[in-house]
Amino acid sequence: MTDAPLPTVLVVAVALIDVDGRVLIAKRPQGKKLAGLWEFPGGKVEAGERPEQALIRELKEELGIDVSENCLSPFVFASHAYDSFHLLMPLYLCRRWDGVVTAREHDGLAWVKPIKLSDYPMPPADEPLVAWLRDLL
Ligand code: 523
């Protein structure tokens, strides 16, 4: 018997970077998959959305901030096979936004120096992104 191929799900995520070079990570809430792990914020791209539109929507919903599209630069892709789907996740960099970053859907937020990111347990898709950010910042 052959296994059914896993669907590929496109998720967009962001590394918000503050003036001190710290990166925002957010704790996934109880009741959701991967609860308690610290992720780069973002979410699924919905039908008919461009990835950047999806990220702008997610940042408003999750963090209460406004980001303009020309402030988002795609940096690196994460690719990871979860149990029921294959996740493909571009990580964007963003250094400018309007509004105060607020945890609207997460259990907590942390601004973390890249060298310290590995102290935080992350979803497996996010973990490889840490080394890329350390090299960049
Ligand atoms: N990830 C992930 N890393 C990461 C994000 C934003 C998301 O590994 N930085 C995974 C977690 C979920 C899937 O991508 O399995 C969809 O993310 P999200 O935040 O939309 O998750 P849920 O829990 O709201 O999704 P559903 O309940 O499946 O709709």
Side-chain angles (χ1 to χ4, degrees):
M1 198 172 77
T2 40
D3 290 333
L6 296 179
T8 297
V9 174
L10 180 60
V11 170
V12 281
V14 72
L16 289 183
I17 303 163
D18 75 4
V19 287
D20 298 319
R22 297 176 307 169
V23 176
L24 184 79
I25 51 175
K27 194 176 190 183
R28 289 185 62 84
Q30 291 308 311
K32 279 201 169 187
K33 286 177 215 157
L34 306 168
L37 299 181
W38 292 85
E39 68 179 8
F40 297 104
K44 286 178 187 153
V45 177
E46 292 174 359
E49 275 184 325
R50 287 182 297 106
E52 292 79 9
Q53 287 177 320
L55 187 52
I56 289 166
R57 172 183 54 72
E58 291 282 357
L59 290 174
K60 187 71 179 177
E61 288 170 6
E62 292 187 350
L63 301 175
I65 58 171
D66 294 298
V67 173
S68 88
E69 194 162 330
N70 57 20
C71 295
L72 292 174
S73 51
F75 173 51
V76 65
F77 276 88
S79 174
H80 184 79
Y82 284 117
D83 286 349
S84 57
F85 65 97
H86 195 108
L87 174 134
L88 184 63
M89 185 173 77
L91 180 75
Y92 288 76
L93 303 181
C94 176
R95 295 175 187 269
R96 281 195 291 145
W97 56 88
D98 288 317
V100 178
V101 174
T102 311
R104 291 186 169 176
E105 297 183 358
H106 289 92
D107 276 355
L109 300 176
W111 289 97
V112 182
K113 288 276 186 196
I115 192 79
K116 293 279 180 195
L117 282 171
S118 50
D119 293 351
Y120 292 78
M122 289 187 161
D126 295 54
E127 277 173 3
L129 301 173
V130 168
W132 288 94
L133 284 172
R134 264 206 314 261
D135 288 350
L136 176 83
L137 297 173

